[in-house]
Amino acid sequence: MAREVKLTKSGYERLVAELEQERARLQDATRILQELMESSDDYDDSGLEDAKREKARIEARIDSLTDTLSRAQIMEEEGTKVSVVTLGAVVNLKSKQGDHMEVQVVAPAEASVLERPMKISDESPLGKALLGQKVGARVMLETPKGKKEFKIESIRH
């Protein structure tokens, strides 16, 4: 049996929206490919090959999203304080330098550094370091610029 993917409600909705966008892009890519095939006398045409590759890439992304969504289990998001960091938890961190950062620990399929709070994978170094920790705990993270220490200020779901 396929492994379930735990997603937050907002993460699930984002993936559904992305799937719809990819399906629309597939229709456009298919239309462009048909037009190129009808107008091209030479099948070695690089534009035709590029269009075929793009269509295949979109189809692969659709397959991946469909698979992820078919195995999705939506986690409850309560907005309540919790005692330890678990999947779906929103964690407020403070670095030794006084920088504040808010992250949500999520499954890899949902990870995105462009959202607020930043959604980090539970399989990432920071995600692994945070899981199971309590408020007040200090976690060390190896970064390209050296070790960085964070203190957990608060945890909520």
Side-chain angles (χ1 to χ4, degrees), residues 56-68:
R57 191 191 66 71
I58 294 169
E59 288 170 339
R61 181 66 181 146
I62 288 172
D63 289 346
S64 174
L65 286 167
T66 302
D67 176 60
T68 298

Side-chain angles (χ1 to χ4, degrees), residues 33-53:
L33 184 59
Q34 286 174 331
E35 289 172 2
L36 286 171
M37 288 175 70
E38 289 170 2
S39 67
S40 179
D41 294 332
D42 182 8
Y43 285 106
D44 292 331
D45 182 27
S46 65
L48 184 62
E49 289 305 311
D50 288 344
K52 286 179 183 177
R53 279 192 293 277

Side-chain angles (χ1 to χ4, degrees), residues 89-129:
V90 176
V91 184
N92 284 299
L93 301 167
K94 184 177 179 182
S95 72
K96 267 188 156 179
Q97 295 77 24
D99 300 323
H100 288 271
M101 178 169 61
E102 185 176 59
V103 299
Q104 183 175 26
V105 182
V106 296
E110 193 176 344
S112 171
V113 296
L114 302 177
E115 293 186 42
R116 293 291 173 250
M118 186 179 357
K119 297 184 182 305
I120 61 164
S121 167
D122 63 334
E123 295 178 7
S124 71
L126 182 57
K128 286 178 182 177

